[in-house]
mmCIF file of all heavy atoms in Angstrom:
data_model
loop_
_atom_site.group_PDB
_atom_site.id
_atom_site.type_symbol
_atom_site.label_atom_id
_atom_site.label_comp_id
_atom_site.label_asym_id
_atom_site.label_seq_id
_atom_site.Cartn_x
_atom_site.Cartn_y
_atom_site.Cartn_z
ATOM 1 N N LYS A 94 -87.763 -129.786 -69.262
ATOM 2 C CA LYS A 94 -87.304 -129.759 -70.661
ATOM 3 C C LYS A 94 -85.898 -130.328 -70.870
ATOM 4 O O LYS A 94 -85.292 -130.111 -71.921
ATOM 5 C CB LYS A 94 -87.355 -128.345 -71.192
ATOM 6 C CG LYS A 94 -86.555 -127.329 -70.403
ATOM 7 C CD LYS A 94 -86.284 -126.074 -71.211
ATOM 8 C CE LYS A 94 -84.960 -126.183 -71.908
ATOM 9 N NZ LYS A 94 -84.539 -125.000 -72.632
ATOM 10 N N VAL A 96 -83.689 -133.044 -72.026
ATOM 11 C CA VAL A 96 -83.846 -134.266 -72.834
ATOM 12 C C VAL A 96 -83.200 -135.455 -72.125
ATOM 13 O O VAL A 96 -83.827 -136.498 -71.911
ATOM 14 C CB VAL A 96 -83.210 -134.024 -74.225
ATOM 15 C CG1 VAL A 96 -83.092 -135.306 -74.991
ATOM 16 C CG2 VAL A 96 -84.015 -132.989 -74.992
ATOM 17 N N SER A 132 -96.407 -124.085 -75.857
ATOM 18 C CA SER A 132 -94.983 -124.135 -76.184
ATOM 19 C C SER A 132 -94.595 -125.575 -76.512
ATOM 20 O O SER A 132 -94.372 -126.392 -75.627
ATOM 21 C CB SER A 132 -94.203 -123.651 -74.951
ATOM 22 O OG SER A 132 -92.891 -124.095 -74.992
ATOM 23 N N SER A 133 -94.563 -125.910 -77.808
ATOM 24 C CA SER A 133 -94.173 -127.259 -78.210
ATOM 25 C C SER A 133 -92.751 -127.212 -78.771
ATOM 26 O O SER A 133 -92.020 -126.242 -78.562
ATOM 27 C CB SER A 133 -95.165 -127.817 -79.249
ATOM 28 O OG SER A 133 -94.878 -129.197 -79.456
ATOM 29 N N SER A 134 -92.358 -128.280 -79.445
ATOM 30 C CA SER A 134 -90.953 -128.394 -79.851
ATOM 31 C C SER A 134 -90.837 -129.149 -81.165
ATOM 32 O O SER A 134 -91.609 -130.072 -81.435
ATOM 33 C CB SER A 134 -90.177 -129.154 -78.760
ATOM 34 O OG SER A 134 -88.898 -129.530 -79.239
ATOM 35 N N ALA A 135 -89.856 -128.796 -81.950
ATOM 36 C CA ALA A 135 -89.603 -129.469 -83.237
ATOM 37 C C ALA A 135 -89.229 -130.930 -83.022
ATOM 38 O O ALA A 135 -89.249 -131.729 -83.964
ATOM 39 C CB ALA A 135 -88.488 -128.746 -83.976
ATOM 40 N N THR A 136 -88.941 -131.273 -81.780
ATOM 41 C CA THR A 136 -88.611 -132.679 -81.489
ATOM 42 C C THR A 136 -89.741 -133.614 -81.915
ATOM 43 O O THR A 136 -89.533 -134.777 -82.216
ATOM 44 C CB THR A 136 -88.387 -132.851 -79.974
ATOM 45 O OG1 THR A 136 -87.531 -131.822 -79.525
ATOM 46 C CG2 THR A 136 -87.776 -134.185 -79.639
ATOM 47 N N ASN A 158 -86.804 -139.303 -77.197
ATOM 48 C CA ASN A 158 -86.733 -139.141 -75.736
ATOM 49 C C ASN A 158 -88.097 -138.824 -75.130
ATOM 50 O O ASN A 158 -88.976 -138.266 -75.809
ATOM 51 C CB ASN A 158 -85.744 -138.022 -75.409
ATOM 52 C CG ASN A 158 -86.156 -136.715 -76.074
ATOM 53 O OD1 ASN A 158 -87.031 -136.012 -75.583
ATOM 54 N ND2 ASN A 158 -85.588 -136.430 -77.234
ATOM 55 N N TYR A 160 -89.025 -136.542 -73.119
ATOM 56 C CA TYR A 160 -89.354 -135.088 -73.146
ATOM 57 C C TYR A 160 -90.118 -134.768 -74.435
ATOM 58 O O TYR A 160 -91.216 -134.230 -74.407
ATOM 59 C CB TYR A 160 -88.086 -134.232 -73.055
ATOM 60 C CG TYR A 160 -88.285 -132.844 -73.625
ATOM 61 C CD1 TYR A 160 -88.963 -131.874 -72.897
ATOM 62 C CD2 TYR A 160 -87.857 -132.534 -74.917
ATOM 63 C CE1 TYR A 160 -89.194 -130.618 -73.444
ATOM 64 C CE2 TYR A 160 -88.081 -131.294 -75.462
ATOM 65 C CZ TYR A 160 -88.745 -130.339 -74.728
ATOM 66 O OH TYR A 160 -88.996 -129.099 -75.275
ATOM 67 N N GLY A 161 -89.540 -135.195 -75.556
ATOM 68 C CA GLY A 161 -90.183 -134.918 -76.852
ATOM 69 C C GLY A 161 -91.523 -135.622 -76.954
ATOM 70 O O GLY A 161 -92.482 -135.088 -77.510
ATOM 71 N N LYS A 164 -94.265 -133.681 -75.337
ATOM 72 C CA LYS A 164 -94.729 -132.568 -76.187
ATOM 73 C C LYS A 164 -95.691 -133.090 -77.253
ATOM 74 O O LYS A 164 -96.736 -132.495 -77.518
ATOM 75 C CB LYS A 164 -93.538 -131.876 -76.869
ATOM 76 C CG LYS A 164 -92.625 -131.112 -75.936
ATOM 77 C CD LYS A 164 -93.320 -129.935 -75.278
ATOM 78 C CE LYS A 164 -92.365 -129.058 -74.482
ATOM 79 N NZ LYS A 164 -93.038 -127.918 -73.847
ATOM 80 N N TYR A 188 -91.106 -124.957 -81.330
ATOM 81 C CA TYR A 188 -89.860 -124.191 -81.249
ATOM 82 C C TYR A 188 -88.741 -124.980 -81.904
ATOM 83 O O TYR A 188 -88.676 -126.200 -81.745
ATOM 84 C CB TYR A 188 -89.407 -124.000 -79.801
ATOM 85 C CG TYR A 188 -90.315 -123.228 -78.894
ATOM 86 C CD1 TYR A 188 -91.541 -122.725 -79.299
ATOM 87 C CD2 TYR A 188 -89.933 -123.019 -77.587
ATOM 88 C CE1 TYR A 188 -92.349 -122.017 -78.426
ATOM 89 C CE2 TYR A 188 -90.734 -122.323 -76.691
ATOM 90 C CZ TYR A 188 -91.938 -121.835 -77.126
ATOM 91 O OH TYR A 188 -92.729 -121.131 -76.252
ATOM 92 N N PHE A 189 -87.815 -124.281 -82.515
ATOM 93 C CA PHE A 189 -86.581 -124.901 -82.958
ATOM 94 C C PHE A 189 -85.557 -124.635 -81.857
ATOM 95 O O PHE A 189 -85.800 -125.080 -80.708
ATOM 96 C CB PHE A 189 -86.251 -124.444 -84.385
ATOM 97 C CG PHE A 189 -87.148 -125.199 -85.347
ATOM 98 C CD1 PHE A 189 -88.502 -124.912 -85.433
ATOM 99 C CD2 PHE A 189 -86.656 -126.275 -86.082
ATOM 100 C CE1 PHE A 189 -89.359 -125.655 -86.257
ATOM 101 C CE2 PHE A 189 -87.503 -127.012 -86.922
ATOM 102 C CZ PHE A 189 -88.848 -126.706 -86.994
ATOM 103 N N ASN A 190 -84.506 -123.909 -82.086
ATOM 104 C CA ASN A 190 -83.517 -123.772 -81.011
ATOM 105 C C ASN A 190 -83.423 -122.329 -80.513
ATOM 106 O O ASN A 190 -82.717 -121.526 -81.116
ATOM 107 C CB ASN A 190 -82.147 -124.271 -81.495
ATOM 108 C CG ASN A 190 -82.161 -125.778 -81.695
ATOM 109 O OD1 ASN A 190 -82.898 -126.290 -82.541
ATOM 110 N ND2 ASN A 190 -81.386 -126.499 -80.902
ATOM 111 N N PRO A 191 -84.134 -121.988 -79.447
ATOM 112 C CA PRO A 191 -84.129 -120.614 -78.943
ATOM 113 C C PRO A 191 -82.767 -120.246 -78.366
ATOM 114 O O PRO A 191 -82.180 -121.032 -77.608
ATOM 115 C CB PRO A 191 -85.189 -120.618 -77.837
ATOM 116 C CG PRO A 191 -85.955 -121.892 -78.006
ATOM 117 C CD PRO A 191 -85.028 -122.862 -78.658
ATOM 118 N N ASN A 209 -78.151 -128.418 -70.788
ATOM 119 C CA ASN A 209 -77.860 -129.454 -71.781
ATOM 120 C C ASN A 209 -77.673 -128.814 -73.160
ATOM 121 O O ASN A 209 -77.057 -129.382 -74.020
ATOM 122 C CB ASN A 209 -79.060 -130.398 -71.916
ATOM 123 C CG ASN A 209 -79.478 -130.938 -70.560
ATOM 124 O OD1 ASN A 209 -78.894 -131.885 -70.079
ATOM 125 N ND2 ASN A 209 -80.448 -130.317 -69.919
ATOM 126 N N ASN A 210 -78.279 -127.620 -73.321
ATOM 127 C CA ASN A 210 -78.283 -127.042 -74.668
ATOM 128 C C ASN A 210 -76.971 -126.339 -74.981
ATOM 129 O O ASN A 210 -76.269 -125.876 -74.076
ATOM 130 C CB ASN A 210 -79.452 -126.050 -74.817
ATOM 131 C CG ASN A 210 -80.798 -126.732 -74.725
ATOM 132 O OD1 ASN A 210 -81.689 -126.229 -74.094
ATOM 133 N ND2 ASN A 210 -80.943 -127.886 -75.355
ATOM 134 N N LEU A 211 -76.686 -126.237 -76.265
ATOM 135 C CA LEU A 211 -75.406 -125.687 -76.718
ATOM 136 C C LEU A 211 -75.137 -124.292 -76.186
ATOM 137 O O LEU A 211 -74.096 -124.037 -75.571
ATOM 138 C CB LEU A 211 -75.356 -125.683 -78.253
ATOM 139 C CG LEU A 211 -74.068 -125.112 -78.872
ATOM 140 C CD1 LEU A 211 -72.853 -125.921 -78.455
ATOM 141 C CD2 LEU A 211 -74.189 -125.069 -80.396
ATOM 142 N N MET A 212 -76.090 -123.363 -76.378
ATOM 143 C CA MET A 212 -75.777 -121.970 -76.050
ATOM 144 C C MET A 212 -75.551 -121.724 -74.558
ATOM 145 O O MET A 212 -74.574 -121.061 -74.185
ATOM 146 C CB MET A 212 -76.870 -121.029 -76.579
ATOM 147 C CG MET A 212 -76.552 -120.463 -77.954
ATOM 148 S SD MET A 212 -74.873 -119.829 -78.148
ATOM 149 C CE MET A 212 -74.944 -118.427 -77.050
ATOM 150 N N PRO A 213 -76.379 -122.244 -73.650
ATOM 151 C CA PRO A 213 -76.067 -122.014 -72.241
ATOM 152 C C PRO A 213 -74.729 -122.646 -71.840
ATOM 153 O O PRO A 213 -74.051 -122.139 -70.940
ATOM 154 C CB PRO A 213 -77.242 -122.636 -71.489
ATOM 155 C CG PRO A 213 -78.072 -123.318 -72.492
ATOM 156 C CD PRO A 213 -77.679 -122.861 -73.835
ATOM 157 N N ILE A 214 -74.327 -123.724 -72.534
ATOM 158 C CA ILE A 214 -73.013 -124.300 -72.237
ATOM 159 C C ILE A 214 -71.912 -123.380 -72.779
ATOM 160 O O ILE A 214 -70.921 -123.096 -72.081
ATOM 161 C CB ILE A 214 -72.910 -125.735 -72.801
ATOM 162 C CG1 ILE A 214 -73.842 -126.657 -72.005
ATOM 163 C CG2 ILE A 214 -71.469 -126.258 -72.740
ATOM 164 C CD1 ILE A 214 -73.999 -128.046 -72.551
ATOM 165 N N LEU A 226 -65.654 -126.618 -74.119
ATOM 166 C CA LEU A 226 -66.865 -127.120 -74.778
ATOM 167 C C LEU A 226 -66.516 -128.410 -75.526
ATOM 168 O O LEU A 226 -65.470 -128.484 -76.188
ATOM 169 C CB LEU A 226 -67.381 -126.089 -75.786
ATOM 170 C CG LEU A 226 -68.566 -126.547 -76.651
ATOM 171 C CD1 LEU A 226 -69.836 -126.600 -75.814
ATOM 172 C CD2 LEU A 226 -68.773 -125.624 -77.834
ATOM 173 N N THR A 227 -67.327 -129.416 -75.363
ATOM 174 C CA THR A 227 -67.146 -130.638 -76.163
ATOM 175 C C THR A 227 -68.117 -130.587 -77.334
ATOM 176 O O THR A 227 -69.328 -130.425 -77.130
ATOM 177 C CB THR A 227 -67.441 -131.892 -75.313
ATOM 178 O OG1 THR A 227 -66.579 -131.868 -74.175
ATOM 179 C CG2 THR A 227 -67.203 -133.153 -76.119
ATOM 180 N N VAL A 228 -67.562 -130.656 -78.540
ATOM 181 C CA VAL A 228 -68.409 -130.723 -79.745
ATOM 182 C C VAL A 228 -68.788 -132.189 -79.932
ATOM 183 O O VAL A 228 -67.921 -133.054 -80.074
ATOM 184 C CB VAL A 228 -67.636 -130.215 -80.979
ATOM 185 C CG1 VAL A 228 -68.468 -130.400 -82.248
ATOM 186 C CG2 VAL A 228 -67.243 -128.751 -80.784
ATOM 187 N N TYR A 229 -70.095 -132.454 -79.896
ATOM 188 C CA TYR A 229 -70.540 -133.860 -79.940
ATOM 189 C C TYR A 229 -70.496 -134.397 -81.370
ATOM 190 O O TYR A 229 -71.510 -134.572 -82.022
ATOM 191 C CB TYR A 229 -71.957 -133.976 -79.389
ATOM 192 C CG TYR A 229 -72.097 -133.622 -77.922
ATOM 193 C CD1 TYR A 229 -73.247 -133.015 -77.437
ATOM 194 C CD2 TYR A 229 -71.080 -133.888 -77.000
ATOM 195 C CE1 TYR A 229 -73.389 -132.674 -76.094
ATOM 196 C CE2 TYR A 229 -71.211 -133.556 -75.654
ATOM 197 C CZ TYR A 229 -72.372 -132.961 -75.210
ATOM 198 O OH TYR A 229 -72.495 -132.611 -73.883
ATOM 199 N N GLY A 230 -69.302 -134.609 -81.847
ATOM 200 C CA GLY A 230 -69.146 -135.272 -83.146
ATOM 201 C C GLY A 230 -68.937 -134.293 -84.286
ATOM 202 O O GLY A 230 -69.606 -133.272 -84.375
ATOM 203 N N TYR A 233 -70.550 -135.885 -89.087
ATOM 204 C CA TYR A 233 -71.917 -135.964 -89.634
ATOM 205 C C TYR A 233 -71.891 -135.575 -91.111
ATOM 206 O O TYR A 233 -70.967 -134.852 -91.543
ATOM 207 C CB TYR A 233 -72.851 -135.011 -88.871
ATOM 208 C CG TYR A 233 -73.265 -135.517 -87.505
ATOM 209 C CD1 TYR A 233 -72.551 -135.170 -86.350
ATOM 210 C CD2 TYR A 233 -74.351 -136.367 -87.360
ATOM 211 C CE1 TYR A 233 -72.925 -135.651 -85.098
ATOM 212 C CE2 TYR A 233 -74.730 -136.845 -86.113
ATOM 213 C CZ TYR A 233 -74.017 -136.480 -84.989
ATOM 214 O OH TYR A 233 -74.384 -136.959 -83.762
ATOM 215 N N THR A 239 -70.270 -131.004 -88.380
ATOM 216 C CA THR A 239 -70.986 -130.863 -87.091
ATOM 217 C C THR A 239 -72.478 -130.611 -87.366
ATOM 218 O O THR A 239 -72.853 -130.157 -88.460
ATOM 219 C CB THR A 239 -70.398 -129.697 -86.245
ATOM 220 O OG1 THR A 239 -70.602 -128.454 -86.912
ATOM 221 C CG2 THR A 239 -68.917 -129.936 -85.987
ATOM 222 N N CYS A 240 -73.294 -130.906 -86.371
ATOM 223 C CA CYS A 240 -74.764 -130.859 -86.557
ATOM 224 C C CYS A 240 -75.276 -129.444 -86.830
ATOM 225 O O CYS A 240 -74.773 -128.477 -86.274
ATOM 226 C CB CYS A 240 -75.461 -131.365 -85.303
ATOM 227 S SG CYS A 240 -75.176 -133.090 -84.940
ATOM 228 N N ILE A 241 -76.309 -129.416 -87.647
ATOM 229 C CA ILE A 241 -76.936 -128.147 -88.022
ATOM 230 C C ILE A 241 -78.288 -128.016 -87.312
ATOM 231 O O ILE A 241 -79.077 -128.955 -87.273
ATOM 232 C CB ILE A 241 -77.111 -128.081 -89.561
ATOM 233 C CG1 ILE A 241 -75.738 -127.962 -90.218
ATOM 234 C CG2 ILE A 241 -78.023 -126.927 -89.968
ATOM 235 C CD1 ILE A 241 -75.753 -128.117 -91.736
ATOM 236 N N ARG A 242 -78.533 -126.817 -86.749
ATOM 237 C CA ARG A 242 -79.816 -126.524 -86.091
ATOM 238 C C ARG A 242 -80.300 -125.143 -86.491
ATOM 239 O O ARG A 242 -79.521 -124.332 -87.011
ATOM 240 C CB ARG A 242 -79.636 -126.564 -84.555
ATOM 241 C CG ARG A 242 -79.311 -127.945 -83.982
ATOM 242 C CD ARG A 242 -80.461 -128.882 -84.112
ATOM 243 N NE ARG A 242 -80.213 -130.192 -83.525
ATOM 244 C CZ ARG A 242 -79.628 -131.208 -84.153
ATOM 245 N NH1 ARG A 242 -79.212 -131.036 -85.422
ATOM 246 N NH2 ARG A 242 -79.461 -132.382 -83.563
ATOM 247 N N TYR A 244 -81.261 -121.870 -85.097
ATOM 248 C CA TYR A 244 -81.166 -121.067 -83.869
ATOM 249 C C TYR A 244 -81.979 -119.787 -84.036
ATOM 250 O O TYR A 244 -81.658 -118.959 -84.879
ATOM 251 C CB TYR A 244 -79.695 -120.759 -83.552
ATOM 252 C CG TYR A 244 -78.906 -122.020 -83.244
ATOM 253 C CD1 TYR A 244 -78.149 -122.656 -84.229
ATOM 254 C CD2 TYR A 244 -78.969 -122.615 -81.985
ATOM 255 C CE1 TYR A 244 -77.456 -123.832 -83.959
ATOM 256 C CE2 TYR A 244 -78.279 -123.796 -81.715
ATOM 257 C CZ TYR A 244 -77.532 -124.399 -82.695
ATOM 258 O OH TYR A 244 -76.846 -125.567 -82.437
ATOM 259 N N VAL A 278 -72.642 -126.417 -85.373
ATOM 260 C CA VAL A 278 -72.046 -126.183 -84.045
ATOM 261 C C VAL A 278 -70.778 -125.338 -84.193
ATOM 262 O O VAL A 278 -70.580 -124.352 -83.468
ATOM 263 C CB VAL A 278 -71.723 -127.525 -83.353
ATOM 264 C CG1 VAL A 278 -71.052 -127.290 -82.008
ATOM 265 C CG2 VAL A 278 -72.990 -128.342 -83.174
ATOM 266 N N ARG A 301 -73.511 -137.481 -79.648
ATOM 267 C CA ARG A 301 -74.482 -137.629 -78.553
ATOM 268 C C ARG A 301 -75.651 -138.452 -79.082
ATOM 269 O O ARG A 301 -76.193 -138.157 -80.150
ATOM 270 C CB ARG A 301 -74.957 -136.254 -78.088
ATOM 271 C CG ARG A 301 -75.954 -136.267 -76.962
ATOM 272 C CD ARG A 301 -76.269 -134.861 -76.463
ATOM 273 N NE ARG A 301 -77.040 -134.112 -77.467
ATOM 274 C CZ ARG A 301 -77.508 -132.883 -77.236
ATOM 275 N NH1 ARG A 301 -77.271 -132.266 -76.101
ATOM 276 N NH2 ARG A 301 -78.194 -132.258 -78.191
ATOM 277 N N ASP A 304 -78.948 -137.400 -81.501
ATOM 278 C CA ASP A 304 -78.782 -136.172 -82.292
ATOM 279 C C ASP A 304 -79.025 -136.442 -83.769
ATOM 280 O O ASP A 304 -78.570 -137.449 -84.295
ATOM 281 C CB ASP A 304 -77.368 -135.608 -82.120
ATOM 282 C CG ASP A 304 -77.270 -134.713 -80.894
ATOM 283 O OD1 ASP A 304 -78.320 -134.272 -80.404
ATOM 284 O OD2 ASP A 304 -76.157 -134.475 -80.426
ATOM 285 N N LEU A 305 -79.699 -135.503 -84.412
ATOM 286 C CA LEU A 305 -79.900 -135.584 -85.865
ATOM 287 C C LEU A 305 -78.844 -134.704 -86.531
ATOM 288 O O LEU A 305 -78.453 -133.696 -85.951
ATOM 289 C CB LEU A 305 -81.300 -135.064 -86.242
ATOM 290 C CG LEU A 305 -82.482 -135.784 -85.567
ATOM 291 C CD1 LEU A 305 -83.787 -135.115 -85.963
ATOM 292 C CD2 LEU A 305 -82.501 -137.252 -85.970
ATOM 293 N N ALA A 306 -78.426 -135.067 -87.736
ATOM 294 C CA ALA A 306 -77.379 -134.290 -88.416
ATOM 295 C C ALA A 306 -77.866 -132.868 -88.689
ATOM 296 O O ALA A 306 -77.154 -131.902 -88.435
ATOM 297 C CB ALA A 306 -77.003 -134.967 -89.730
ATOM 298 N N LEU A 308 -81.426 -130.159 -88.699
ATOM 299 C CA LEU A 308 -82.816 -129.932 -88.283
ATOM 300 C C LEU A 308 -83.072 -128.423 -88.344
ATOM 301 O O LEU A 308 -82.496 -127.668 -87.573
ATOM 302 C CB LEU A 308 -83.005 -130.449 -86.851
ATOM 303 C CG LEU A 308 -84.412 -130.681 -86.315
ATOM 304 C CD1 LEU A 308 -84.354 -131.519 -85.044
ATOM 305 C CD2 LEU A 308 -85.173 -129.412 -86.037
HETATM 306 C C1 WQD B 23 -77.677 -128.384 -80.431
HETATM 307 C C2 WQD B 23 -76.460 -128.968 -81.121
HETATM 308 C C3 WQD B 23 -75.606 -130.984 -80.158
HETATM 309 C C4 WQD B 23 -74.137 -129.237 -76.405
HETATM 310 C C5 WQD B 23 -82.877 -129.742 -77.828
HETATM 311 C C6 WQD B 23 -84.232 -130.368 -77.629
HETATM 312 C C7 WQD B 23 -85.297 -129.472 -78.206
HETATM 313 C C8 WQD B 23 -85.173 -128.115 -77.593
HETATM 314 C C9 WQD B 23 -83.816 -127.543 -77.907
HETATM 315 C C10 WQD B 23 -86.353 -127.645 -75.549
HETATM 316 C C11 WQD B 23 -76.534 -130.483 -81.238
HETATM 317 C C12 WQD B 23 -74.579 -129.853 -80.067
HETATM 318 C C13 WQD B 23 -74.733 -129.392 -77.653
HETATM 319 C C14 WQD B 23 -72.732 -129.439 -76.270
HETATM 320 C C15 WQD B 23 -72.593 -129.899 -78.625
HETATM 321 N N1 WQD B 23 -85.315 -128.190 -76.189
HETATM 322 N N2 WQD B 23 -73.966 -129.714 -78.737
HETATM 323 N N3 WQD B 23 -72.023 -129.755 -77.396
HETATM 324 O O1 WQD B 23 -80.529 -131.125 -79.264
HETATM 325 O O2 WQD B 23 -81.048 -129.458 -81.121
HETATM 326 O O3 WQD B 23 -82.586 -129.644 -79.197
HETATM 327 O O4 WQD B 23 -82.855 -128.434 -77.290
HETATM 328 O O5 WQD B 23 -87.327 -127.137 -76.016
HETATM 329 O O6 WQD B 23 -86.559 -130.002 -77.916
HETATM 330 O O7 WQD B 23 -84.262 -131.601 -78.341
HETATM 331 O O8 WQD B 23 -80.328 -128.621 -78.884
HETATM 332 O O9 WQD B 23 -78.649 -127.212 -77.812
HETATM 333 O O10 WQD B 23 -78.912 -129.620 -77.018
HETATM 334 O O11 WQD B 23 -77.864 -129.146 -79.232
HETATM 335 O O12 WQD B 23 -71.915 -130.202 -79.632
HETATM 336 O O13 WQD B 23 -72.139 -129.314 -75.163
HETATM 337 O O14 WQD B 23 -75.311 -128.672 -80.351
HETATM 338 O O15 WQD B 23 -74.965 -132.193 -80.518
HETATM 339 O O16 WQD B 23 -75.998 -130.847 -82.483
HETATM 340 P P1 WQD B 23 -81.058 -129.798 -79.688
HETATM 341 P P2 WQD B 23 -78.919 -128.642 -78.134
#
Side-chain angles (χ1 to χ4, degrees):
K94 57 162 267 185
V96 169
S132 159
S133 189
S134 168
T136 313
N158 58 80
Y160 157 77
K164 292 295 187 180
Y188 298 2
F189 283 72
N190 291 63
N209 307 278
N210 295 138
L211 179 61
M212 266 314 293
I214 291 172
L226 174 73
T227 303
V228 175
Y229 295 146
Y233 284 93
T239 64
C240 295
I241 291 171
R242 293 292 183 274
Y244 296 96
V278 178
R301 180 174 70 176
D304 274 342
L305 302 177
L308 196 165

